[in-house]
Amino acid sequence: MSKVKYYYDSDSLSYRKIERRKRTTFKYAFMFILASALFGFLFVFIASQYVESPKERSLARELHNMQLQYELLNKKMNEAENVLANVADRDNNIYRVYFEANPIPEAQRRAGFGGINRYKNLEGFDNSKLIVESNKRLDILQKQIVVQSKSLDEIAVLAKEKEKLLAAIPAIQPVNNKDLKRMASGYGMRSDPFTKARKMHWGMDFTAPRGTPVYASGDGIVVRADSGSTGYGNHIRIDHGFGYISLYAHLYKYNVRKNQKVKRGDLIGFVGSTGRSEAPHLHYEIFKDGDRINPMNFYYGSLTAEEYSKLLEHASLENQSLD
């Protein structure tokens, strides 16, 4: 029950009931509601500034975790960039130098992405700079990996070709010559055993008894095993590829046939004295792109430095050849 209020009327010397007007009631009600709204607004504003809601705390944790993950991602990218830089350095300065290939320009390795803004959709956020920078680094890193991957594929092909070349080059002596005493005559001007005139001797002569094994000095294919070349008698020619051909002359008999594939060290024939020969020996020649070259340049596969020097000394003597 609401309270009834009175006031003292001095004119009538009596108490009168206070009658509240509707306008006044509305005015008070409006002021109360307005004051309540203002108070509520101030309370919410202050609370929003200094007190976090559960949702805000959750979002803050997610944001903090995202920043932490981006920092970890950047550290991983730093490590990946360092590893890739090391691989690129070895690629340019070791692998490509060894296989005689041109290095990849640094500008090509580290080129970015021009043209339109690829990261426009990542702008306009509180952490846009961090996100855009991380994406740029990741894109460049991915491009560098593609460039390096293609380079290593090329190196792998070059390595296979180099391996084939090293196996094909005639790099060992064609007869067993451990003591190096079978070296009879080398490449150069020598005295002809029949005419005694000085003329060019295009190969190396190894003295050996008839029937001494003769070995292929490198991988290849037998292109000739016949006696159809003047002066060579029974002889074998092996095409090693890469422009190299080796010739083994004055043989007693063959152990291979034409078009047969051979490996370095395979037994291909036996020493004899067929053709234009003064005594049993092996005449050995090497051709490169059709030109005869000194076989002494290719004995790295079976001789030490001291043995090579000793053999070179024997081969340099201007004596009489055996064919």
Side-chain angles (χ1 to χ4, degrees):
M1 184 176 180
S2 58
K3 294 181 179 181
V4 179
K5 294 184 179 181
Y6 296 87
Y7 73 95
Y8 180 74
D9 187 355
S10 57
D11 294 333
S12 62
L13 301 177
S14 64
Y15 288 95
R16 292 180 177 275
K17 186 178 179 180
I18 298 176
E19 299 289 344
R20 180 176 292 179
R21 297 179 182 178
K22 291 183 178 180
R23 183 177 179 182
T24 303
T25 302
F26 178 77
K27 178 180 178 182
Y28 287 152
F30 175 76
M31 291 181 64
F32 175 79
I33 293 172
L34 180 62
S36 298
L38 289 174
F39 177 79
F41 175 78
L42 288 174
F43 177 80
V44 171
F45 177 77
I46 295 172
S48 65
Q49 295 296 317
Y50 299 101
V51 180
E52 287 184 340
S53 67
K55 185 175 181 180
E56 287 175 331
R57 284 196 295 270
S58 176
L59 291 174
R61 284 196 300 269
E62 289 183 14
L63 180 61
H64 178 74
N65 182 60
M66 183 198 72
Q67 291 174 331
L68 178 61
Q69 293 301 322
Y70 267 102
E71 289 176 2
L72 293 174
L73 178 62
N74 280 324
K75 288 182 180 179
K76 290 180 180 179
M77 283 195 290
N78 284 336
E79 294 173 358
E81 286 170 348
N82 290 334
V83 171
L84 189 58
N86 181 263
V87 174
D89 180 66
R90 284 184 290 168
D91 183 25
N92 273 352
N93 299 310
I94 299 178
Y95 308 143
R96 289 182 167 271
V97 171
Y98 179 76
F99 295 115
E100 300 177 356
N102 293 326
I104 298 176
E106 193 68 15
Q108 182 180 341
R109 288 185 182 275
R110 299 192 175 279
F113 298 90
I116 61 173
N117 185 1
R118 297 165 56 90
Y119 313 101
K120 188 175 182 180
N121 62 316
L122 301 177
E123 296 176 350
F125 302 98
D126 291 340
N127 296 284
S128 289
K129 184 177 181 181
L130 175 63
I131 298 172
V132 169
E133 198 62 33
S134 297
N135 276 272
K136 282 183 179 179
R137 292 181 63 189
L138 188 59
D139 285 343
I140 293 174
L141 187 61
Q142 288 176 333
K143 181 179 180 181
Q144 290 175 2
I145 290 173
V146 170
V147 171
Q148 186 60 59
S149 177
K150 291 181 178 179
S151 176
L152 291 178
D153 288 342
E154 182 184 349
I155 292 297
V157 173
L158 292 173
K160 289 180 180 179
E161 291 299 313
K162 190 78 169 184
E163 184 178 5
K164 291 179 182 178
L165 171 62
L166 293 176
I169 290 178
I172 64 172
Q173 295 183 92
V175 295
N176 189 2
N177 190 28
K178 291 183 179 180
D179 55 9
L180 306 180
K181 292 180 179 180
R182 287 181 169 172
M183 180 70 253
S185 182
Y187 178 94
M189 298 301 295
R190 298 292 184 269
S191 176
D192 185 278
F194 300 101
T195 66
K196 306 304 179 184
R198 281 173 56 80
K199 70 174 188 177
M200 184 65 187
H201 186 243
W202 295 105
M204 298 182 73
D205 290 342
F206 295 90
T207 59
R210 184 173 180 268
T212 300
V214 176
Y215 304 100
S217 55
D219 296 0
I221 299 175
V222 177
V223 292
R224 291 189 65 172
D226 57 57
S227 58
S229 290
T230 303
Y232 288 131
N234 296 334
H235 76 289
I236 294 171
R237 299 190 194 210
I238 299 176
D239 187 346
H240 303 280
F242 305 96
Y244 291 98
I245 293 177
S246 58
L247 181 148
Y248 313 78
H250 311 304
L251 300 175
Y252 161 58
K253 63 179 181 179
Y254 314 111
N255 194 54
V256 292
R257 62 185 182 279
K258 185 178 179 181
N259 296 326
Q260 180 178 335
K261 291 183 178 181
V262 294
K263 294 288 187 181
R264 179 181 291 151
D266 284 355
L267 176 63
I268 59 173
F270 302 90
V271 171
S273 189
T274 58
R276 192 175 186 274
S277 172
E278 187 180 55
H281 75 286
L282 173 70
H283 176 80
Y284 176 63
E285 294 183 12
I286 293 180
F287 296 79
K288 177 67 169 74
D289 298 326
D291 297 325
R292 294 182 177 97
I293 56 178
N294 192 344
M296 273 300 302
N297 298 329
F298 296 89
Y299 290 141
Y300 64 85
S302 60
L303 299 176
T304 65
E306 293 181 358
E307 289 172 336
Y308 183 84
S309 297
K310 185 177 180 181
L311 187 63
L312 180 62
E313 182 181 349
H314 290 328
S316 300
L317 296 176
E318 294 194 18
N319 53 6
Q320 178 178 291
S321 66
L322 296 177
D323 47 30

